[in-house]
Amino acid sequence: MPLITTPNLSDPDGSYAALIAAHDGLTETESHAFNARLILVLMNQIGDAQVIAQALRIARETGVK
């Protein structure tokens, strides 16, 4: 399964709002821990080590100045 790099959310604004709402009331430390758990859940859902590696590489490259 190749990594999807084009917009693929049926409701991007709703998805973003749900993500922000999930952080409501969390401290910064709790928010970071939540993000880590969410990433692990989504990595498990993907299940393909090559796709995960590609996603990690893209995320790292796009975040470097």
Side-chain angles (χ1 to χ4, degrees), residues 15-32 34-35 37-38:
S15 296
Y16 181 75
L19 176 61
I20 296 304
H23 285 265
D24 190 42
L26 300 179
T27 66
E28 184 176 358
T29 299
E30 291 168 336
S31 182
H32 288 304
F34 171 84
N35 281 337
R37 290 189 306 273
L38 177 60

Side-chain angles (χ1 to χ4, degrees), residues 43 46-56:
M43 288 171 71
I46 293 167
D48 183 318
Q50 289 180 334
V51 172
I52 292 168
Q54 184 182 5
L56 292 170

